[in-house]
Amino acid sequence: LPLDILYEDEDILVLNKPADMPVHPSAGNYENTLANGVAWYYKQQGGNFVYRCINRLDRDTTGVLVLAKNPLSGALLSAQMKQRQIRRTYLALTDGIPPERGTVSAPIARMDDSVITREVNWEHGETAVTHYERLAVSNGYSLVELHLDTGRTHQIRVHMQYLGFPLVGDYLYNPDMEYIHRQALHSWKLSFIHPITKEPMEFTAELPKDMKKILI
């Protein structure tokens, strides 16, 4: 599987993940995953490999993610994630035009009749906070920048649907596939402190073509 490597040293590997690639094997996805691709990459180099993905992305969410290459960097990066020291910036295309900026603070829980779908649930949900800013508008769609204070499953997708501006092409929450065949969500920027050198690190991945064409 092809890998788009943004950065690599002896402690971390930063990748630009494509769409239609799960981050790890699961039922029905045993070989087409990022973990498989990275395992092969290191096998070709004759090295050992343990998969340590720090910021997981949904199968169809594109963009920057970081892997730890050893137990120490994995533990330190995981601690940064828990302490909300890793800043994740996403770009999304929404159906409709949301306010210029705002914050959604609404708890998220799994729907009772589904193992996948989530919803805002004020009684049983876990705390979830998303900040957003509208960057551009084209043909009734909006390019929105989003920052997460928490990392709930489907958080951006659920919160934008809750606002009334669901992501374009989201088969779970807005199944309109006219312009794109996946949720239009991209992990644009990732900022963190290098776990070993303590240097500030920041990586970006260009907006993919299938999202760009909707804005033209």
Side-chain angles (χ1 to χ4, degrees):
L1 297 174
L3 296 179
D4 184 357
I5 298 174
L6 302 178
Y7 175 84
E8 182 179 12
D9 62 25
E10 61 185 9
D11 300 299
I12 63 174
L13 176 67
V14 182
L15 300 167
N16 179 16
K17 189 185 86 66
D20 195 28
M21 179 182 281
V23 295
H24 54 70
S26 60
N29 297 289
Y30 299 110
E31 298 180 348
N32 61 327
T33 75
L34 186 67
N36 293 96
V38 176
W40 177 256
Y41 173 69
Y42 286 117
K43 183 178 180 180
Q44 294 298 99
Q45 301 176 35
N48 295 322
F49 169 73
V50 176
Y51 190 64
R52 304 177 182 91
C53 186
I54 305 303
N55 64 309
R56 297 180 181 181
L57 302 177
D58 292 340
R59 174 178 181 147
D60 282 331
T61 299
T62 54
V64 187
L65 55 72
V66 59
L67 306 180
K69 293 176 62 175
N70 55 64
L72 178 57
S73 60
L76 293 172
L77 284 172
S78 294
Q80 285 189 44
M81 182 66 81
K82 290 178 181 178
Q83 296 164 13
R84 301 179 183 175
Q85 295 173 343
I86 296 180
R87 183 169 175 82
R88 296 161 290 165
T89 306
Y90 291 82
L91 296 176
L93 290 173
T94 65
D95 192 346
I97 304 173
E100 184 174 353
R101 60 177 52 86
T103 295
V104 185
S105 182
I108 292 175
R110 187 173 63 187
M111 286 186 175
D112 290 338
D113 59 349
S114 175
V115 297
I116 300 175
T117 310
R118 266 60 177 180
E119 65 179 353
V120 168
N121 187 315
W122 293 96
E123 184 177 359
H124 302 293
E126 295 181 290
T127 300
V129 180
T130 305
H131 308 281
Y132 68 90
E133 179 180 358
R134 192 183 73 233
L135 302 180
V137 176
S138 179
N139 302 316
Y141 300 107
S142 300
L143 179 65
V144 179
E145 179 179 319
L146 305 111
H147 301 276
L148 303 181
D149 283 353
T150 52
R152 307 304 176 198
T153 299
H154 299 174
Q155 179 172 319
I156 289 173
R157 299 162 67 184
V158 171
H159 273 175
M160 296 313 292
Q161 180 206 38
Y162 176 72
L163 277 184
F165 306 98
L167 270 55
V168 180
D170 191 331
Y171 70 97
L172 284 178
Y173 306 105
N174 183 35
D176 180 357
M177 308 296 180
E178 181 177 359
Y179 297 107
I180 189 171
H181 296 282
R182 66 175 182 95
Q183 69 265 10
L185 181 61
H186 178 63
S187 174
W188 174 51
K189 184 185 297 184
L190 195 67
S191 306
F192 56 92
I193 301 299
H194 192 286
I196 306 302
T197 68
K198 306 306 178 185
E199 292 293 321
M201 312 289 285
E202 183 172 281
F203 302 95
T204 59
E206 185 179 358
L207 194 70
K209 293 178 180 179
D210 60 354
M211 290 179 65
K212 281 183 178 179
K213 70 180 183 181
I214 299 176
L215 296 171
I216 297 175

